Amino acid sequence: MNITDRQFLQTTEKKYLDTEDMLNISREKLVKSTWLQDAEVFVDGFVFFNPQEMNLLEEILLLARDVQITVCIDDYRRGQNSVLTALFHQQYRTLMDLFALAKKHELPYEVVYLSKPHRFLTGGLRSIADKLFSYPILRGDSAEGVKLVEAANQRLEVEHVAIDIIRLCREEGYRYKDIGIVYREGSYTHLLEAVLSNYQIPFFNDEKRPFTHHALAELLRSTLEALQNWQYEPLIRAFKTGFFPAQADEIDLLENYILAHGIRGKKKWQEVWQYRQRNFATPELSAEEKSLLDKVNEIRERVITPLLQLSEAVNNQTDAAVLTKALYDYLLYLEVPDKLLAEQERAEEKGEMALANEQAQIWNDIIGLFDQIVEACGDVPISRQVYAEVLNDGIENLEISLIPPGFDYVTIASFDTNSLENKKSIYILGVNEGIIPGKTAEGTLFSEYDRLHLEEQGIELSPGAMKTQFFENFLLYKACTLPSTRLTLSYALADGEGKALNRSAFFNKIEKCLPLSKGQYTTVLLENYTEESERRRVTIPKRTLSYLSTALRQYRETKRIAPFWLNIY
């Protein structure tokens, strides 16, 4: 492994950069800078520093006039956090490394311990911060501000959140910007976006979006696949991306014609199509058939021309630069930059700023990917199939970073990485067994024994499975201490496919710690059985109308209906 690593570094030296290289370069530039010498630097939000970050921080400590570093930890002097299983063990190690760094350079330092919490405005949140994560668990004095929700399925769980957000804003004076939603399970992403949009709640998803689902990604993938075999499926996928000079109904007509006559292969696409349903009684073409064939061939000519030009440009080519240049010209021929700009402007007119920002980034990201492919492949011969695989890998790793679309919106964020501190109300979704807390991923290169051995030799690695599992407790602590006033934890009894789910054991810890009352438990069923649960669903007109129809259906079946539905009707 040492030989492999050394050869890799020699090959990539001064040629390719990753995040760690950028940190090393930043350190070299800092030494020559003068602006930092009289600066006051604040470092906040870090749990630990990797070796490159620590080296950069070392230079800052030596150059800056004053450096203040915050670390989330209780009183480190008691020493309980030196144990690997401790809640703040990672932060403890970070403090020890910082102390060693200061001692190495004989730098004076002062530790200020902020012991009084100012964030928590309700007793339940204070009890969680002080007692829930202790061992053994201590009993809190209050459960104020904490709610637990059980839902029949994930969609009802998300709808409960949307309804509660509307209630908070209407009845308790909350703003959307005061509210955050945290989740880990990926199935909640589309559910949240669909449900919040349906309830007309403005929101912003703080996660980076994968590029793979964008129409331009599909265009690139399906185009390279189509050039290999000229089969129906990849060609139609490419045509349906919206970048070809044809309307959707024209592509549908073309698709139906292809399926009816089994057209396959490049040679068939270059011919003038005269296929028709054989009618021996009338061998001559009718006016209607001639019109159809003329239209189909005109569409065929429009959509196949750019592909034929690309095919000719890449024929027998093994140079990555030539292949990339041909693909770039192909995108320009299809007017992709102009169409992305038009989509951006349409999104801005509709007020969909997140979508507009996404369209604005995509073209530059693709050009950057093309540049990387050319630089990485160099003069090494590459087949079209391998080139397609490299491009596809690059597309899968592209992510779109968005900025918030406005000021007043609900923020959706990941359980693992978020910046929702000091929101008034936080909802944590999907607190199910195996999800929160999560299971440790297996299959790493080094075993835990190997990691311990390397650490004894002074070699620092990223956290392994054991440390990651213990660190999960801190992630849970951080998520539960984000809000200042309200914390709602919910779980579903079934996923989107109806598969049964179990609630997390973490709920048992909460119930052991907090004196929860009956009113702090909510159950969301498939059908409403109480007037109170039905009344909660009177929100925006569109959704209320939907629930009114459900109530009327129940009345027809059970002859029971809450009186307020009649007023709404």
Side-chain angles (χ1 to χ4, degrees), residues 161-419:
V161 171
I163 291 170
D164 201 47
I165 288 173
I166 292 175
R167 182 190 65 80
L168 285 177
C169 294
R170 285 180 177 175
E171 300 177 7
E172 300 188 26
Y174 277 66
R175 299 284 299 275
Y176 292 126
K177 64 183 180 66
D178 299 327
I179 300 169
I181 302 174
V182 178
Y183 67 97
R184 172 176 274 167
E185 178 61 36
S187 58
Y188 283 97
T189 304
H190 299 299
L191 266 179
L192 280 166
E193 292 178 352
V195 170
L196 294 180
S197 298
N198 208 5
Y199 279 85
Q200 299 175 5
I201 296 174
F203 66 91
F204 170 67
N205 194 333
D206 199 27
E207 288 190 317
K208 292 182 178 180
R209 300 188 181 187
F211 175 66
T212 51
H213 301 301
H214 193 273
L216 182 52
E218 180 56 42
L219 173 67
L220 292 169
R221 286 196 301 258
S222 54
T223 293
L224 292 177
E225 183 182 346
L227 292 183
Q228 294 179 26
N229 49 36
W230 292 86
Q231 293 300 306
Y232 148 77
E233 292 86 357
L235 284 168
I236 293 299
R237 289 204 311 271
F239 297 154
K240 287 186 175 181
T241 57
F243 292 108
F244 280 79
Q247 300 297 320
D249 57 341
E250 293 179 323
I251 299 299
D252 291 339
L253 176 64
L254 190 70
E255 181 179 12
N256 292 334
Y257 187 86
I258 294 168
L259 291 173
H261 301 288
I263 297 172
R264 298 289 188 274
K266 181 180 179 180
K267 185 177 179 181
K268 291 287 183 69
W269 279 90
Q270 293 175 295
E271 297 174 352
V272 176
W273 293 343
Q274 296 292 336
Y275 310 108
R276 67 186 183 107
Q277 297 296 331
R278 181 69 65 184
N279 188 343
F280 294 101
T282 56
E284 297 294 329
L285 287 173
S286 66
E288 183 179 351
E289 286 178 317
K290 187 176 186 308
S291 175
L292 174 64
L293 286 176
D294 290 343
K295 186 172 181 59
V296 166
N297 277 293
E298 193 270 331
I299 299 170
R300 174 193 61 81
E301 187 71 24
R302 266 190 280 145
V303 298
I304 205 63
T305 298
L307 280 167
L308 291 174
Q309 291 177 354
L310 176 62
S311 176
E312 184 178 350
V314 301
N315 188 36
N316 296 325
Q317 293 292 338
T318 58
D319 188 314
V322 175
L323 293 171
T324 304
K325 174 65 166 54
L327 201 55
Y328 173 76
D329 292 339
Y330 166 72
L331 297 182
L332 291 184
Y333 183 91
L334 292 176
E335 300 178 343
V336 169
D338 295 335
K339 290 175 181 176
L340 290 174
L341 180 60
E343 285 292 327
Q344 177 187 344
E345 292 173 349
R346 277 194 289 269
E348 289 174 349
E349 290 174 0
K350 295 179 181 178
E352 299 174 349
M353 301 309 297
L355 180 59
N357 291 334
E358 178 180 323
Q359 303 297 335
Q361 289 187 39
I362 286 171
W363 179 251
N364 290 334
D365 289 344
I366 285 296
I367 297 304
L369 176 60
F370 284 171
D371 290 340
Q372 292 176 30
I373 291 175
V374 173
E375 185 179 355
C377 294
D379 300 327
V380 179
I382 183 171
S383 67
R384 278 195 297 174
Q385 181 177 354
V386 173
Y387 180 87
E389 293 173 357
V390 171
L391 180 65
N392 192 50
D393 288 341
I395 288 173
E396 289 182 353
N397 285 283
L398 281 180
E399 292 180 321
I400 303 168
S401 301
L402 302 179
I403 60 175
F407 179 68
D408 195 20
Y409 54 86
V410 174
T411 302
I412 304 171
S414 166
F415 176 84
D416 300 298
T417 55
N418 62 75
S419 55

Side-chain angles (χ1 to χ4, degrees), residues 444-457 459 461:
T444 56
L445 181 61
F446 295 110
S447 66
E448 291 302 314
Y449 175 81
D450 294 333
R451 289 177 174 276
L452 290 173
H453 178 70
L454 290 171
E455 285 185 9
E456 290 174 356
Q457 307 304 313
I459 300 174
L461 300 174

Side-chain angles (χ1 to χ4, degrees), residues 99-114:
F99 293 160
L101 200 59
K103 184 177 180 180
K104 172 184 174 182
H105 295 286
E106 299 181 351
L107 297 172
Y109 65 89
E110 177 187 5
V111 178
V112 179
Y113 180 50
L114 306 176

